[in-house]
Amino acid sequence: MTRLESKFAELGAENAPGQEVRQGTGQLSAVMRGDVIPGTPVDFSHGDVDAFAPTPGAREAWEAGYEAGGAQAYTEYRGAAAIRERLARRLAGFTGAPVDPVDELILTPGTQGALFLALGALVDHGTRVAIIEPDYFANRKLVRFFGGQILPVALRYRDAETGPDLDALEAAFRDGAEVFVFSNPNNPTGVVYSQDAITRIAERAARYGVTVIVDQLYSRLLYRGESYTHLRAQPQRPDNLITIMGPSKTESLSGFRLGVAFGSAHLVDRMEKLQAIVSLRAAGYNQAVLSTWFDEPDGWMEDRIAQHEAIRDDLLAVFRGAGLPVATPQAGSYLFPELPGLAVPPETFVRLLRVQAGVTVTPGSEFAPQTASSIRLNFSQDHKAAVAAAKRIVEMVARYRA
Amino acid sequence: MTRLESKFAELGAENAPGQEVRQGTGQLSAVMRGDVIPGTPVDFSHGDVDAFAPTPGAREAWEAGYEAGGAQAYTEYRGAAAIRERLARRLAGFTGAPVDPVDELILTPGTQGALFLALGALVDHGTRVAIIEPDYFANRKLVRFFGGQILPVALRYRDAETGPDLDALEAAFRDGAEVFVFSNPNNPTGVVYSQDAITRIAERAARYGVTVIVDQLYSRLLYRGESYTHLRAQPQRPDNLITIMGPSKTESLSGFRLGVAFGSAHLVDRMEKLQAIVSLRAAGYNQAVLSTWFDEPDGWMEDRIAQHEAIRDDLLAVFRGAGLPVATPQAGSYLFPELPGLAVPPETFVRLLRVQAGVTVTPGSEFAPQTASSIRLNFSQDHKAAVAAAKRIVEMVARYRA
């Protein structure tokens, strides 16, 4: 195997969300137990934008962008100046710290695009990067793609007390981590980092000179009684800090591929240089849809959160009723239940779920090597269909229990 | 300077097309001669999609995509299957060789996205890559970003006989080039490679086992009397071959960020794995606009070509009338005139053009180190405004002549 071959072998995307359609079903019949379980198919690998529609006005905003013509088609690589101007104010208001629209903000093709650019701006051969386990699967893949070295840090999410192992994090910083990337709320568990954890992360990153990338994709979808701490608003914070957000999830605008990164000007500058050779810019007309972001109709966000909370609670009841351990997500729309010992490997079970139960989930091995026996569900779905599908998962677990 | 700092210093985007708005004008006044020359500003750094509007039906196709909802928002990373199916047939018809829609085609965020993925799939630290000089500026930047080594090969474009130096190309192959990337029609000169050149490139790449990436972005905008040879349709061709196209230029769909790459299945597979961590997919709703591609109304393309040919001829007359050498583009909408010795460095002159004459062009140093005294114009512009702007360039050249 050449170096490039092994590099791409590590990038395996066949279990990545949305790619299930490319999987063969060849060898499954040999291990299959029982028949198909009927029911409406549910694809928990991503949110259902038919069940939760895009922000009101998104289409009209796009059309206004299209009608604006050339000025909207060809923006600066970092995005249209007027859109950045408006967004910077809103992001500063939301996160509690100023954002300079000229030098500290870049629009990207989705939050994925922002993560890619941020890690591409910071990770080279041998760069040590502290990574939470479990966390969004692309974090690990990106670090490996750029030739970096992963220093894993455990996240507690099963116990009453949740959060990152701060001693392990400090050890990683002492061991030469130059970058720390993490999602908060955590993907896949829905854990929100406490104020204490964020304060300590900020303070230690500052002390050790570590650059921090915090992916806050789900920070608006916060359930009742929870509070969120923005790292960038901490009085003591690292000099080099990039915050990432986007309207793909809670706002259901994923079909537009829009994200933002904001923070240290020299890093945003590098990200733009990289964007210039990666895809030039977030699609011009689509950028105009960001005018709807943080400007949703009154009550719309509260309503959306309440609907997700209701689905969350019903799914938790289904899984817990069947004895499957699952943490209560404090934010976002992911559930990460743990399966018991099964007669087939977890990734085979995931394929069987799709073939026999019409249920698509993402295997836990995508998020950390040690969470292979969990599955991730994005429960931003039709409520009734999601509950019925969760019951089919439980039935399949019973069928394949070791 | 750290390795990352120097890597990003090489990626300098401040002279890249579209980024001129970020340039300071601070030191220009010290060297400025004469006043502002009045006239309609023209930005030759890219085509004007207000002068040449997007393909008819593009907006309606987008709206149909948006209305399709979730299925169009979340496609496979390589793009929606039904769209690939239809496009594969059209691309096979256009290029004269079959394309498998399942395994040999990927939709990308613009042609830039396709180039990035193709080079990312093939270039690692130390990989030797043959590059034409001059050629599209991102080719060189991408190779350097991935740590590859550039083996330059000259393109003749000033003489009656044009084309790549095939002996130098074979020498690069002998010297261990693993990849050869080039644009045909050539950006920035508009040279179309002859059938003989393409046949020889295909045959030698096959013999030396070199992977070829051919960027055919402008291959539909071919002027009267010219003919185009598709490398992928040659009987003897390299085993590893990726062809890149997109509707951003001739079809004025750049605001949608759409491109395609097609060819060797294992390379398309790598490109999709990379796409999964770069930006997931070309924006879902935008993909639907590809239904208009290669299906334009009767006579629309012929008309568009004729209008560009008329602008080309008028601009050639302006530059040649002033004694500036410029090759006749055989295809595409770029002109690459050569300036005489000036009293200011070429990149200063380019800034003065913008400030004093309202004319934006791209400095020739972006395309090869040795073409710094040329400028590139994308003449897909309002006809009258473009001719007037070319006359202002000539006036500025006279003003700053050494």
Side-chain angles (χ1 to χ4, degrees):
Chain A
M1 217 190 249
T2 68
R3 191 161 65 179
L4 268 166
E5 278 166 350
S6 57
K7 183 164 154 177
F8 278 90
E10 280 195 59
L11 274 189
E14 59 279 9
N15 292 310
Q19 292 303 98
E20 300 80 5
V21 66
R22 297 193 75 80
Q23 294 168 356
T25 52
Q27 306 94 323
L28 288 182
S29 50
V31 296
M32 212 173 268
R33 298 179 180 182
D35 287 336
V36 162
I37 311 176
T40 308
V42 174
D43 184 350
F44 286 114
S45 74
H46 56 73
D48 180 354
V49 302
D50 298 328
F52 286 100
T55 317
R59 177 181 179 149
E60 293 72 19
W62 183 89
E63 284 167 344
Y66 184 78
E67 279 163 15
Q72 190 62 58
Y74 287 92
T75 70
E76 284 174 64
Y77 298 146
R78 63 179 66 198
I83 294 170
R84 281 184 284 120
E85 174 79 38
R86 192 163 39 190
L87 263 189
R89 278 197 305 274
R90 295 178 186 171
L91 293 167
F94 177 68
T95 62
V99 177
D100 179 325
V102 176
D103 292 324
E104 296 182 338
L105 174 61
I106 181 170
L107 315 186
T108 58
T111 304
Q112 183 69 50
L115 254 185
F116 176 85
L117 296 178
L119 284 164
L122 288 162
V123 181
D124 202 352
H125 278 253
T127 306
R128 291 178 173 211
V129 183
I131 295 265
I132 294 289
E133 290 187 346
D135 208 333
Y136 179 49
F137 51 87
N139 295 357
R140 289 188 300 146
K141 290 181 182 180
L142 281 164
V143 171
R144 297 295 302 136
F145 177 75
F146 290 117
Q149 191 188 331
I150 291 170
L151 303 183
V153 175
L155 177 77
R156 282 190 311 274
Y157 64 95
R158 293 184 188 82
D159 322 322
E161 196 174 331
T162 63
D165 181 337
L166 291 169
D167 293 334
L169 185 65
E170 182 159 6
F173 289 179
R174 246 193 332 259
D175 282 355
E178 293 174 51
V179 180
F180 174 41
V181 56
F182 70 108
S183 61
N184 181 30
N186 175 260
N187 174 352
T189 65
V191 163
V192 172
Y193 287 43
S194 68
Q195 179 170 8
D196 182 59
I198 291 296
T199 309
R200 284 165 193 251
I201 289 170
E203 179 269 315
R204 285 175 200 180
R207 176 151 30 108
Y208 288 94
V210 172
T211 300
V212 177
I213 303 169
V214 52
D215 170 0
Q216 305 196 171
L217 180 53
Y218 269 111
S219 53
R220 298 185 78 192
L221 190 64
L222 208 61
Y223 295 118
R224 269 179 302 175
E226 306 294 347
S227 64
Y228 189 90
T229 309
H230 292 277
L231 200 154
R232 63 188 307 277
Q234 298 311 299
Q236 195 173 13
R237 63 173 192 183
D239 289 336
N240 298 313
L241 173 62
I242 292 289
T243 304
I244 288 172
M245 288 192 69
S248 287
K249 303 293 188 181
T250 313
E251 303 82 353
S252 300
L253 299 177
S254 179
F256 293 94
R257 299 278 73 219
L258 291 167
V260 297
F262 46 110
S264 311
H266 73 284
L267 296 179
V268 170
D269 191 57
R270 277 193 198 168
M271 291 170 70
E272 181 179 46
K273 285 178 172 175
L274 188 47
Q275 177 118 299
I277 59 168
V278 172
S279 61
L280 298 185
R281 60 181 71 80
Y285 308 133
N286 295 4
Q287 291 180 27
V289 177
L290 288 169
S291 65
T292 65
W293 201 30
F294 287 97
D295 194 30
E296 297 83 8
D298 280 348
W300 182 87
M301 182 59 76
E302 293 73 9
D303 193 46
R304 180 148 286 202
I305 293 172
Q307 289 178 57
H308 280 83
E309 191 165 318
I311 302 172
R312 177 195 71 165
D313 292 344
D314 283 356
L315 296 191
L316 285 172
V318 170
F319 289 123
R320 287 175 181 160
L324 304 187
V326 54
T328 302
Q330 300 168 272
S333 63
Y334 292 121
L335 272 191
F336 200 53
E338 204 173 327
L339 308 181
L342 299 174
V344 293
E347 295 185 0
T348 303
F349 181 73
V350 162
R351 293 181 189 214
L352 287 163
L353 267 183
R354 199 164 157 261
V355 172
Q356 292 194 283
V359 176
T360 305
V361 301
T362 305
S365 54
E366 289 282 305
F367 307 93
Q370 64 274 27
T371 56
S373 66
S374 289
I375 53 176
R376 190 194 71 173
L377 290 76
N378 185 327
F379 60 82
S380 188
Q381 307 287 346
D382 176 83
H383 193 145
K384 266 172 87 169
V387 172
K391 290 179 180 164
R392 296 203 296 281
I393 294 174
V394 164
E395 189 177 337
M396 287 285 287
V397 166
R399 204 182 265 187
Y400 286 94
R401 200 179 270 268
Chain B
M1 215 189 254
T2 69
R3 193 161 61 178
L4 268 167
E5 278 166 350
S6 57
K7 183 164 153 176
F8 278 89
E10 280 195 59
L11 274 189
E14 59 278 9
N15 291 308
Q19 292 303 96
E20 300 79 6
V21 67
R22 296 194 74 81
Q23 294 167 357
T25 52
Q27 306 95 322
L28 287 182
S29 50
V31 296
M32 211 174 269
R33 298 179 178 182
D35 287 335
V36 162
I37 312 175
T40 308
V42 174
D43 185 349
F44 285 114
S45 74
H46 56 73
D48 179 354
V49 301
D50 298 327
F52 286 100
T55 315
R59 177 182 178 148
E60 293 71 18
W62 183 89
E63 285 167 344
Y66 184 77
E67 279 163 16
Q72 190 61 59
Y74 286 92
T75 70
E76 285 174 65
Y77 298 145
R78 63 179 66 199
I83 294 170
R84 280 184 284 120
E85 174 78 37
R86 193 162 39 189
L87 262 190
R89 278 198 304 275
R90 294 176 186 173
L91 292 167
F94 177 68
T95 62
V99 177
D100 180 324
V102 176
D103 293 323
E104 296 182 339
L105 174 61
I106 181 170
L107 314 187
T108 58
T111 304
Q112 182 70 50
L115 254 184
F116 176 83
L117 296 177
L119 284 164
L122 287 162
V123 181
D124 202 351
H125 278 251
T127 307
R128 293 179 171 209
V129 183
I131 295 265
I132 294 289
E133 290 187 347
D135 208 331
Y136 180 49
F137 51 87
N139 294 359
R140 290 190 298 147
K141 290 181 181 178
L142 281 164
V143 171
R144 296 297 302 134
F145 177 75
F146 289 117
Q149 191 188 332
I150 291 170
L151 305 184
V153 175
L155 177 77
R156 282 189 312 274
Y157 63 95
R158 293 184 187 84
D159 322 324
E161 196 174 330
T162 63
D165 181 336
L166 291 168
D167 293 334
L169 185 65
E170 183 159 5
F173 289 179
R174 247 193 331 258
D175 282 355
E178 293 175 50
V179 181
F180 174 41
V181 55
F182 70 108
S183 61
N184 180 29
N186 174 260
N187 174 352
T189 65
V191 163
V192 172
Y193 287 42
S194 68
Q195 178 170 7
D196 181 60
I198 291 297
T199 308
R200 283 166 194 250
I201 289 169
E203 179 268 317
R204 285 176 199 179
R207 177 153 26 112
Y208 287 94
V210 173
T211 299
V212 176
I213 303 169
V214 51
D215 169 0
Q216 304 196 169
L217 181 53
Y218 269 112
S219 52
R220 298 185 78 193
L221 190 65
L222 206 62
Y223 295 118
R224 270 179 302 175
E226 305 294 347
S227 64
Y228 189 89
T229 308
H230 292 277
L231 200 155
R232 64 188 305 275
Q234 298 311 298
Q236 194 172 13
R237 63 175 191 182
D239 288 336
N240 298 313
L241 173 62
I242 291 289
T243 304
I244 288 172
M245 287 191 71
S248 287
K249 303 293 188 180
T250 313
E251 304 82 355
S252 300
L253 299 177
S254 179
F256 294 94
R257 299 277 76 217
L258 292 167
V260 297
F262 46 110
S264 311
H266 74 283
L267 295 179
V268 170
D269 192 56
R270 278 194 198 168
M271 290 169 72
E272 181 178 47
K273 286 179 172 173
L274 188 48
Q275 179 118 298
I277 59 168
V278 172
S279 62
L280 298 185
R281 59 181 72 78
Y285 308 133
N286 294 4
Q287 291 180 27
V289 177
L290 288 168
S291 66
T292 64
W293 201 29
F294 287 98
D295 194 32
E296 297 83 6
D298 280 348
W300 183 87
M301 183 59 77
E302 292 75 8
D303 193 46
R304 180 148 287 201
I305 293 172
Q307 288 178 57
H308 280 83
E309 190 164 318
I311 302 172
R312 175 194 74 166
D313 292 343
D314 282 355
L315 296 191
L316 286 172
V318 169
F319 289 123
R320 287 175 181 162
L324 304 187
V326 54
T328 303
Q330 299 168 273
S333 63
Y334 292 122
L335 272 190
F336 200 54
E338 204 174 327
L339 308 182
L342 299 174
V344 294
E347 293 184 2
T348 303
F349 180 72
V350 161
R351 293 183 187 212
L352 288 163
L353 267 183
R354 196 162 161 263
V355 173
Q356 292 194 284
V359 175
T360 304
V361 301
T362 305
S365 54
E366 288 283 304
F367 306 93
Q370 64 273 27
T371 56
S373 66
S374 288
I375 54 175
R376 189 193 72 174
L377 290 76
N378 185 328
F379 60 81
S380 188
Q381 307 288 344
D382 176 82
H383 194 144
K384 264 172 90 170
V387 171
K391 289 178 179 166
R392 296 203 295 281
I393 294 175
V394 165
E395 190 179 337
M396 287 284 287
V397 167
R399 205 184 264 186
Y400 285 93
R401 202 179 269 268

